[in-house]
Amino acid sequence: MDLNADGNIDLLGEGYAGFTYVLWGQKDGSFKKPVILKDKSGTDIHLGMYYDFNKKAYIGDRRKSGDKGDFAKAHDWDSDGDLDLIISGINGAWLRINEGSKKKPVFATENIHILKKHYADAFVDWDGDGLWDIIGGDKDGGVYFYKNIGKKRKPAFGKAVCLLSPEEFANKEYGGYSSLSQVAVADYNHDGKLDLIIGNKNFITNADTEFTNEQLNKERKRLLEIQEVNNSKIMKFIDKYKKKFGEKYMEEMMKDSKKDSVLKKIYDTSREIGDGLSKIRAQYKCHGFVFVSLQK
């Protein structure tokens, strides 16, 4: 990807802190040190949640302030000849329009939510209708297709179609579950059809565990459902304490958790869930895989 059209390949990606980084390519094939991309106002590009290196804490919340960037791609979204930014997180994909030029990109200050779910990994004309579509992975491990139902300069997308379900990637010998799939599209076997190359994180059940894969997945699902409800309760207390105590909200919550019966129960439940999930994780081995799915 040549982000500034200087003839050199650049590298684009997201750091764990939630910022968008670029490594500018050089003529000899090497890359400069990574720098955080900024928008036209001079602000570091992020989706609302990011790590403040001075305060040593995350700022913002994925549920309220947008998302935290996990993956970044460059694509000419509006067909004006320059590359725009598409940043994906757990809440879908977001767009930063390039308001500059092909050789001097200048990115907008606004994050535009383009997909409510799934990552935006590949931009290709998947169905051969002359418009590029979106193929993306997801935290659940599946692969999804978004058909472009808009026009050349004004893309719009229909509902996601599941091309490969998460179950497709479960290990057939030991079972388990997959997550964090990312997709590339290419004609892998040179037959004139676009194929899928999928990388993911796969959790394989240990062969010597005393539990069956069905039992582990059932218990994991149960704990995650309880965790989701418990987390919503925690968020209500966090909002309340932030308004009252500001940056010291967590410290005050910890103090009150010893005397407030409701808050104490929430914290106890959180610990129990954590312990339960830790035991389940011990029954799995985590492994990265790359799969190829050929189009028929």
Side-chain angles (χ1 to χ4, degrees):
M1 176 270 312
D2 186 359
L3 187 59
N4 58 357
D6 64 354
N8 302 317
I9 297 299
D10 308 307
L11 296 179
L12 186 68
E14 292 291 306
Y16 192 75
F19 298 109
T20 302
Y21 289 84
V22 64
L23 286 77
W24 297 112
Q26 302 186 87
K27 289 182 179 180
D28 62 359
S30 63
F31 298 92
K32 295 181 180 179
K33 291 183 179 180
V35 293
I36 298 175
L37 282 178
K38 298 181 182 295
D39 61 27
K40 65 180 181 181
S41 71
T43 302
D44 295 338
I45 291 177
H46 58 78
L47 295 183
M49 182 180 180
Y50 62 94
Y51 187 81
D52 188 311
F53 293 100
N54 294 319
K55 295 181 179 180
K56 296 183 179 180
Y58 274 102
I59 305 299
D61 185 287
R62 281 185 163 184
R63 294 180 181 87
K64 296 182 178 180
S65 58
D67 209 339
K68 184 177 83 67
D70 293 325
F71 311 109
K73 298 286 182 178
H75 176 67
D76 187 0
W77 179 268
D78 49 6
S79 301
D80 63 352
D82 57 39
L83 292 175
D84 308 296
L85 290 179
I86 294 90
I87 306 169
S88 297
I90 63 171
N91 295 323
W94 307 75
L95 169 68
R96 286 277 187 135
I97 288 290
N98 182 355
E99 296 181 353
S101 65
K102 186 176 182 179
K103 292 188 176 183
K104 292 184 178 181
V106 178
F107 298 103
T109 58
E110 181 185 8
N111 291 315
I112 302 172
H113 206 180
I114 55 174
L115 297 183
K116 293 183 178 180
K117 195 178 181 183
H118 310 126
Y119 308 136
D121 291 327
F123 306 89
V124 294
D125 185 2
W126 182 254
D127 54 6
D129 65 354
L131 297 174
W132 56 266
D133 309 296
I134 295 178
I135 305 290
D138 190 72
K139 63 179 181 178
D140 69 4
V143 177
Y144 301 87
F145 161 61
Y146 283 87
K147 177 178 174 59
N148 189 342
I149 57 175
K151 298 178 181 180
K152 185 177 181 180
R153 296 185 68 89
K154 291 185 178 181
F157 297 90
K159 293 182 179 180
V161 175
C162 183
L163 298 180
L164 294 170
S165 70
E167 288 74 23
E168 293 280 347
F169 302 100
N171 186 277
K172 304 303 180 184
E173 184 176 358
Y174 297 121
Y177 63 97
S178 64
S179 67
L180 294 177
S181 53
Q182 281 192 277
V183 190
V185 179
D187 184 359
Y188 186 81
N189 58 351
H190 303 288
D191 65 351
K193 298 176 183 178
L194 294 175
D195 307 304
L196 301 175
I197 298 92
I198 308 106
N200 72 359
K201 184 164 67 172
N202 211 312
F203 295 86
I204 304 171
T205 309
N206 287 337
D208 57 352
T209 180
E210 60 182 296
F211 302 104
T212 65
N213 179 61
E214 184 179 356
Q215 289 173 325
L216 287 171
N217 282 344
K218 184 177 181 180
E219 178 63 6
R220 175 176 172 272
K221 182 180 179 182
R222 185 186 74 84
L223 289 171
L224 289 176
E225 288 174 350
I226 297 173
Q227 185 182 59
E228 185 175 354
V229 173
N230 201 59
N231 284 347
S232 66
K233 294 179 181 179
I234 291 176
M235 290 307 303
K236 290 180 180 179
F237 271 95
I238 287 177
D239 291 340
K240 176 182 174 182
Y241 275 72
K242 272 187 175 180
K243 289 179 181 178
K244 188 174 182 180
F245 300 104
E247 293 183 0
K248 294 185 178 180
Y249 75 93
M250 189 57 71
E251 182 182 337
E252 296 298 325
M253 279 182 65
M254 290 299 293
K255 288 180 183 178
D256 288 353
S257 68
K258 298 177 182 179
K259 53 187 178 182
D260 186 307
S261 60
V262 176
L263 191 54
K264 182 179 184 301
K265 185 176 180 180
I266 291 173
Y267 270 94
D268 289 343
T269 301
S270 183
R271 281 190 288 269
E272 290 170 7
I273 294 169
D275 291 341
L277 289 173
S278 294
K279 290 178 182 177
I280 290 175
R281 291 190 189 103
Q283 307 299 321
Y284 288 116
K285 290 181 180 179
C286 181
H287 198 293
F289 287 94
V290 175
F291 299 86
V292 174
S293 178
L294 301 177
Q295 189 173 173
K296 296 179 180 179

